[in-house]
Amino acid sequence: MGTKSISDINDIRDKIVNGAEKESAKIYVHMGTCGIASGATEVLESLKKDLKENNIKAAKIIKTGCAGICSKEPLITVAMPGQEPIIYEYMDESKVQRVVREHIISGTVVKDFAFARGMEAEIQERIENKGAPAGQKVLDSSIPGIEEIPFFKLQKQRVMRNRAVIDPNNIEHYIGRDGYQGLIKALSEMSAEDILKTVLDSGIRGRGGAGFPTGLKWKFAAQTENSTKYVLCNADEGDPGAYMDRSVLESDPHSILEGMVIAGKAIGSHKGYVYCRAEYPLAVEILNKAIKTAKKYNLLGENILGTGFDFDIEVYEGAGAFVCGEETALMRSIEGFRGNPRPRPPFPAVAGLKEKPTILNNVETLSNISQIVAKGSDWFKGIGTEKSPGTKVFSITGDINNVGCVEVPIGTKLSSIVNEIGGGMVEGKNFKAAQLGGPSGGCIPLEHLDVEVDYETLQEYGAIMGSGGLIVISDTQSAVDIARFFMQFCQEEACGKCIPGREGTKQMLNILNRIYSGKGRTDDIEKLEELALVIQSTALCALCKTSANPVLSTLRYFRKEYEEAITA
Amino acid sequence: MVKEKKPEIEESLSQEEIQELDKLIDKHGADEEQLIPLLEKVQVLLGYIPVSVQERISNKTGIPPNHIYGVVSFYSYFSMEAKARHRIQVCMGTACYVKGGKEIAEKIEADYNIKLGESTEDGRFTYENARCFGACGLAPILVVDGKIFGKVSIDSVDAILDEYK
């Protein structure tokens, strides 16, 4: 049991911000799932070996989560005291050897594989300073500063502010980056009503898909009287092509725990669950460790930081069912049943998990909460659009040059995400469409590429913000095949409880298969449209209600491809 | 005298495995909320959850067998079929699909004479699809026994699988 107080946490922070930590050499190894899959573990091992062989004891190795730009992995960042940090790309064992010998021992940058100068977390400081912050010696000005690279320059880090700079398994790193300041404020200076008001005023909307105002959801649960209430974190990221939540879980788990405790105080709950898919073993491991450490530091559990508030969190491993991302299905799953959704009302804020008032927020939403509370609602509204303030994280993949996890102000143009941050199409491929929102979403074609990415505007064009998967498709892909792909996914993942979901998706898939294989019938398009509308209005839950979207959206922009496939 | 029939579970599992299974069941207890976590551990222990194992869980916990069957058949993490020595998963997330995952799946099906969800006759590979490992930056992805291989091409599949005998 922890016995720490608020001043203990603040002491830890002050020590890190002002302390001797700055004086030692640091080597950051970026070890998210993608990094590990690209060879980061081997890079780490050879780095340890080379440091030992050269008898370098003063250098600290920091294992962080993802550095954002997956297409350059494995990446390491070398920060020697008094010098600009250097990010190295595409590392392997022999490259590590050269970095240790030339950069760490002799102080010369290995230009051959240097990617950028500086670190993402320092971008703002670097822009204000027109280069390296005071006290950092520039080693080689011919390497681009990170603030000059569009992939990083156009992003705005809030949810991802700690990526690549903290070790997710080291709670003191998080505290040193102002972590748990929101919690301290919420527990020691604010009433539940104050917290609710701040979250409402911030205008934050659920980042899981539909964009429902978070504060409103909390308010409903707060108003329902019950001695037992629950706070749930939806980390069941089942959207194919989306991995932002995994990235946050793996690089900054405490930000989610902190958000959940604050939510607990706001609605009067003392128990939370993180529902995380078992396909994310690293995220589950990191989360469990974070919970254990937070308890040790008295930031979770009984009488948190001596403020008299109790809150406990457990991780619940999902067993692989897309429908469990739907809130009522997710709750059934935690209760130990098949993840079947149920009709609403009653809404979970009134009767959710075990029939008790429950709120469910996704990873990204919760990760924003502590900063909103610490810095205020006006700060949060400082970026984004009037109706949708803040940032949104997207995982951008497909046929573009810079694949990765990016966080941009809501309202950023899609063209800017694809062409500037994404670095445009890979050589030899032409842009056809950007698919946003996975199986509930739709395509935006070339003629609308300048659309602003916010909840309402995207819907006008037949796509959705969704959870943030953004796949850039080239003109070598068939629109019918893309629609077929998503319909197959929905059909396989439909829980089978309602007829539109069970039979409707199957019929749509049959027709799409028929068209794709060249056996389409003349009235097939009409039938698809009719089925789509029936499923949209009659299915039980959002999974099947929205399953028609990819079909409708490809029909809207690429109808000709369907017609050609049928007449051919 | 009628010869007593051996319980079905003893035909498919060793005594050690049954002991381990019982330990897990005892640890998780009869709480319905612990059922999915229990089944996840059983899946890891045995590689599959046949009906005989479901019956044993039901007998020891009092959770109705139809409830357990319903849960096992609902979630894709659970399997009722015994697995081969190695598990191949071709990622069918969108990024992998558009970048060649489909062709890799077709190649494995044709060259290894195996259908989705099945195991090869020699007990070497079980072949499955997976929905997005969240490493889309490396698309297309092939996962063998939990190890992720990124940027796989049709030509590199054989070399990867040759390492698994």
Side-chain angles (χ1 to χ4, degrees):
Chain A
M1 276 291 110
T3 49
K4 285 196 165 45
S5 65
I6 291 173
S7 64
D8 292 334
I9 301 297
N10 287 335
D11 286 348
I12 294 171
R13 180 178 69 142
D14 293 346
K15 214 170 94 192
I16 295 174
V17 174
N18 310 314
E21 282 274 304
K22 283 186 174 163
E23 303 311 316
S24 67
K26 293 196 195 88
I27 305 157
Y28 300 84
V29 184
H30 307 300
M31 304 191 65
T33 293
C34 300
I36 291 172
S38 315
T41 312
E42 290 76 12
V43 167
L44 174 73
E45 289 312 315
S46 57
L47 181 64
K48 279 185 188 162
K49 194 181 97 214
D50 291 344
L51 290 179
K52 202 173 161 201
E53 275 171 13
N54 288 291
N55 207 17
I56 304 168
K57 289 190 182 118
K60 273 194 181 151
I61 296 177
I62 298 172
K63 291 188 275 178
T64 79
C66 165
I69 188 153
C70 308
S71 41
K72 305 272 181 198
E73 272 163 355
L75 291 150
I76 65 169
T77 304
V78 176
M80 303 301 286
Q83 294 176 359
E84 261 189 322
I86 301 286
I87 306 172
Y88 291 105
E89 62 184 13
Y90 305 124
M91 293 312 283
D92 61 28
E93 287 160 44
S94 69
K95 287 178 179 172
V96 166
Q97 231 174 23
R98 267 190 68 193
V99 169
V100 169
R101 209 171 49 228
E102 293 173 34
H103 187 153
I104 297 174
I105 297 176
S106 310
T108 353
V109 177
V110 190
K111 236 181 118 174
D112 299 356
F113 23 92
F115 168 58
R117 295 180 291 136
M119 294 178 77
E120 196 177 22
E122 298 172 345
I123 283 189
Q124 208 45 45
E125 212 180 336
R126 292 182 63 92
I127 291 173
E128 282 159 19
N129 210 52
K130 295 193 174 65
Q136 285 189 9
K137 195 176 135 205
V138 178
L139 288 177
D140 188 333
S141 56
S142 67
I143 298 161
I146 191 161
E147 73 283 3
E148 300 168 55
I149 298 172
F151 181 85
F152 292 102
K153 181 173 73 180
L154 297 170
Q155 292 193 51
K156 197 86 196 167
Q157 306 296 339
R158 285 186 168 178
V159 171
M160 298 279 185
R161 59 188 290 276
N162 291 326
R163 78 168 173 200
V165 283
I166 69 166
D167 176 350
N169 290 318
N170 189 327
I171 194 171
E172 299 204 353
H173 284 185
Y174 180 66
I175 294 171
R177 298 266 304 156
D178 291 339
Y180 286 111
Q181 290 301 312
L183 176 83
I184 289 174
K185 191 172 167 193
L187 295 188
S188 63
E189 296 170 27
M190 297 168 89
S191 66
E193 292 73 32
D194 294 339
I195 303 172
L196 280 176
K197 187 172 177 335
T198 306
V199 175
L200 260 173
D201 287 350
S202 76
I204 183 171
R205 301 169 65 171
R207 298 299 196 246
F212 189 79
T214 305
L216 212 52
K217 194 189 257 188
W218 290 18
K219 202 174 141 190
F220 292 146
Q223 283 166 346
T224 312
E225 294 208 8
N226 203 307
S227 56
T228 309
K229 296 181 185 180
Y230 295 105
V231 174
L232 305 184
C233 170
N234 185 353
D236 188 58
E237 190 173 45
D239 268 48
Y243 58 97
M244 326 43 71
D245 289 351
R246 175 184 64 70
S247 188
V248 178
L249 293 163
E250 285 176 2
S251 51
D252 202 8
H254 288 283
S255 69
I256 300 148
L257 306 183
E258 192 183 350
M260 288 177 76
V261 184
I262 295 171
K265 170 149 181 185
I267 70 159
S269 157
H270 303 284
K271 175 84 190 178
Y273 291 93
V274 183
Y275 188 94
C276 185
R277 51 199 308 237
E279 285 96 329
Y280 285 177
L282 183 61
V284 170
E285 184 193 323
I286 287 176
L287 265 174
N288 276 316
K289 271 191 199 157
I291 290 173
K292 217 170 142 191
T293 332
K295 282 186 182 159
K296 219 169 108 193
Y297 279 69
N298 206 9
L299 293 157
L300 257 188
E302 284 169 25
N303 190 15
I304 296 173
L305 297 179
T307 59
F309 184 69
D310 304 336
F311 197 85
D312 196 17
I313 298 176
E314 258 178 70
V315 175
Y316 198 94
E317 277 182 59
F322 179 68
V323 68
C324 288
E326 198 278 342
E327 58 179 0
T328 60
L330 186 150
M331 290 166 198
R332 288 302 278 164
S333 182
I334 297 184
E335 291 166 5
F337 293 89
R338 293 166 73 102
N340 281 340
R342 62 156 175 80
R344 297 171 301 175
F347 287 95
V350 176
L353 183 65
K354 302 172 205 171
E355 303 305 316
K356 306 287 183 194
T358 305
I359 52 165
L360 173 79
N361 289 118
N362 104 320
V363 167
E364 201 183 325
T365 316
L366 286 165
S367 185
N368 268 303
I369 295 297
S370 62
Q371 292 176 75
I372 293 175
V373 169
K375 297 174 184 167
S377 50
D378 284 336
W379 168 83
F380 186 74
K381 286 189 281 196
I383 51 176
T385 65
E386 203 193 325
K387 278 188 181 167
S388 311
T391 59
K392 178 77 192 86
V393 183
F394 290 97
S395 52
I396 54 171
T397 61
D399 291 322
I400 42 167
N401 285 311
N402 302 331
V403 165
C405 229
V406 306
E407 182 171 4
V408 291
I410 295 180
T412 302
K413 284 191 169 145
L414 185 58
S415 55
S416 158
I417 300 178
V418 171
N419 292 328
E420 294 177 74
I421 296 176
M425 301 298 288
V426 292
E427 216 190 313
K429 299 250 172 118
N430 299 312
F431 181 90
K432 174 170 184 165
Q435 208 282 348
L436 288 100
S440 314
C443 292
I444 304 276
L446 188 62
E447 63 261 37
H448 299 307
L449 196 56
D450 266 337
V451 63
E452 286 183 358
V453 177
D454 68 49
Y455 291 94
E456 282 79 19
T457 318
L458 282 179
Q459 255 172 25
E460 257 172 59
Y461 289 91
I464 60 163
M465 190 102 104
S467 49
L470 197 169
I471 292 125
V472 177
I473 296 163
S474 69
D475 59 5
T476 53
Q477 300 289 331
S478 136
V480 182
D481 191 28
I482 297 294
R484 194 174 73 110
F485 168 76
F486 283 116
M487 190 50 73
Q488 184 162 9
F489 177 85
C490 289
Q491 195 267 315
E492 278 171 18
E493 295 290 333
C495 72
K497 193 176 172 187
C498 75
I499 297 170
R502 189 176 61 240
E503 302 298 330
T505 54
K506 192 156 179 65
Q507 290 313 318
M508 284 188 84
L509 179 62
N510 284 345
I511 297 174
L512 288 165
N513 277 333
R514 197 156 72 208
I515 298 175
Y516 185 69
S517 62
K519 292 178 193 134
R521 301 173 193 157
T522 45
D523 61 344
D524 271 350
I525 294 180
E526 219 173 286
K527 268 194 190 145
L528 273 180
E529 282 172 327
E530 197 185 335
L531 274 165
L533 296 175
V534 172
I535 293 172
Q536 261 183 350
S537 52
T538 55
L540 177 60
C541 79
L543 165 65
C544 288
K545 269 193 174 59
T546 57
S547 67
N549 289 358
V551 176
L552 291 174
S553 133
T554 44
L555 270 172
R556 177 168 167 186
Y557 296 116
F558 305 104
R559 195 180 187 97
K560 232 176 130 194
E561 284 185 39
Y562 281 82
E563 289 166 355
E564 280 168 6
I566 288 171
T567 50
Chain B
M1 214 169 93
V2 182
K3 201 178 162 197
E4 204 170 309
K5 192 174 169 269
K6 210 175 161 189
E8 202 183 318
I9 193 163
E10 289 181 16
E11 282 167 21
S12 48
L13 301 182
S14 68
Q15 279 305 319
E16 290 78 33
E17 282 173 325
I18 295 175
Q19 273 175 17
E20 287 294 314
L21 172 68
D22 286 349
K23 261 194 232 164
L24 284 177
I25 300 173
D26 292 342
K27 200 176 143 222
H28 285 270
D31 189 358
E32 269 174 356
E33 278 169 40
Q34 286 295 312
L35 179 62
I36 294 174
L38 167 65
L39 291 172
E40 279 169 350
K41 298 216 171 71
V42 174
Q43 173 75 39
V44 171
L45 174 73
L46 305 174
Y48 72 126
I49 313 176
V51 172
S52 59
V53 171
Q54 295 174 30
E55 278 169 356
R56 195 171 184 93
I57 295 172
S58 173
N59 290 335
K60 292 185 78 111
T61 59
I63 299 172
N66 58 334
H67 178 172
I68 299 174
Y69 183 86
V71 168
V72 170
S73 59
F74 184 81
Y75 294 97
S76 60
Y77 193 79
F78 305 130
S79 165
M80 287 194 261
E81 301 291 327
K83 294 283 157 88
R85 292 194 294 283
H86 305 290
R87 181 180 187 202
I88 311 174
Q89 292 166 290
V90 179
C91 183
M92 283 288 162
T94 322
C96 288
Y97 186 80
V98 302
K99 291 193 115 174
K102 183 173 55 165
E103 285 76 20
I104 290 166
E106 283 165 2
K107 181 197 159 66
I108 290 174
E109 283 171 24
D111 292 7
Y112 293 81
N113 191 21
I114 188 173
K115 282 206 192 89
L116 196 62
E118 288 181 356
S119 302
T120 49
E121 271 179 26
D122 56 6
R124 189 171 159 215
F125 294 119
T126 298
Y127 158 63
E128 298 164 355
N129 276 352
R131 292 298 186 187
C132 203
F133 284 90
C136 311
L138 299 170
I141 282 170
L142 179 66
V143 179
V144 189
D145 293 345
K147 185 173 175 194
I148 295 178
F149 295 89
K151 296 186 178 158
V152 174
S153 69
I154 295 225
D155 301 327
S156 63
V157 171
D158 289 332
I160 292 170
L161 295 185
D162 280 350
E163 297 295 312
Y164 297 85
K165 295 296 172 198

